[in-house]
């Protein structure tokens, strides 16, 4: 059996909380209420334990949720940006484009075109 450290358990709890609250989590400071630890401590522990920052993990999860929502083609980009707590549709579009190298509109168009070909 593998020994899992208390730090790893806490990091898994943080990841699970972010994953399951991706639409309601507005700031990572909310993790303080969930854990009882300061954000600075959580951020430092997460980075030390996983090699990634909490901010990067959260950003990646939001963008992955956005990618899935775009693929489903049920919501407009402005709705997705609001659902995921972006400050504006422009901030969302910029973050999405930086991550996936295409705009949300282009990504949606590519998804629709590939479904038409099936």
């Amino acid at each position: 059996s593998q020994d899992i450290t208390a730090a790893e358990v806490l990091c898994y709890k943080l990841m699970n909380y972010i994953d399951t609250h991706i639409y309601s989590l507005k700031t990572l400071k909310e993790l303080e209420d969930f854990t009882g630890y300061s954000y600075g401590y959580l951020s430092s522990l997460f980075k030390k334990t996983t090699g990634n920052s909490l901010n990067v993990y959260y950003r990646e999860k939001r963008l992955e949720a956005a990618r899935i929502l775009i693929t489903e083609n049920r919501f407009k980009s402005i709705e997705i940006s609001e659902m995921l707590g972006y400050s504006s549709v422009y901030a969302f579009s910029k973050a999405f484009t930086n991550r996936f190298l295409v705009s949300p509109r282009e990504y949606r168009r590519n998804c629709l075109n590939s479904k038409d070909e099936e």
Side-chain angles (χ1 to χ4, degrees), residues 17 28-37 42:
Y17 187 86
L28 290 176
K29 291 272 286 172
E30 293 173 36
L31 295 173
E32 292 178 338
D33 294 334
F34 169 64
T35 63
Y37 294 106
L42 294 172

Side-chain angles (χ1 to χ4, degrees), residues 18-113:
I18 290 169
D19 293 352
T20 57
H21 292 82
I22 199 69
Y23 298 107
S24 61
L25 191 64
K26 298 304 174 206
T27 172
L28 290 176
K29 291 272 286 172
E30 293 173 36
L31 295 173
E32 292 178 338
D33 294 334
F34 169 64
T35 63
Y37 294 106
S38 75
Y39 177 74
Y41 172 76
L42 294 172
S43 181
S44 174
L45 180 80
F46 194 87
K47 176 77 172 176
K48 204 180 307 177
T49 306
T50 68
N52 241 338
S53 73
L54 263 173
N55 204 24
V56 166
Y57 183 83
Y58 178 55
R59 183 173 57 236
E60 285 297 313
K61 288 298 176 175
R62 279 201 311 177
L63 289 169
E64 186 58 30
R67 188 190 65 74
I68 291 167
L69 290 170
I70 289 170
T71 302
E72 291 174 352
N73 198 32
R74 294 186 343 193
F75 301 100
K76 296 177 183 177
S77 287
I78 192 164
E79 293 169 315
I80 294 170
S81 71
E82 290 169 357
M83 289 168 68
L84 292 169
Y86 283 90
S87 59
S88 70
V89 70
Y90 304 107
F92 163 65
S93 183
K94 183 176 179 181
F96 191 92
T97 303
N98 284 341
R99 171 64 178 87
F100 296 108
L101 306 178
V102 294
S103 71
R105 175 179 286 157
E106 291 172 86
Y107 192 87
R108 184 184 311 270
R109 193 176 310 129
N110 292 341
C111 288
L112 292 174
N113 287 340

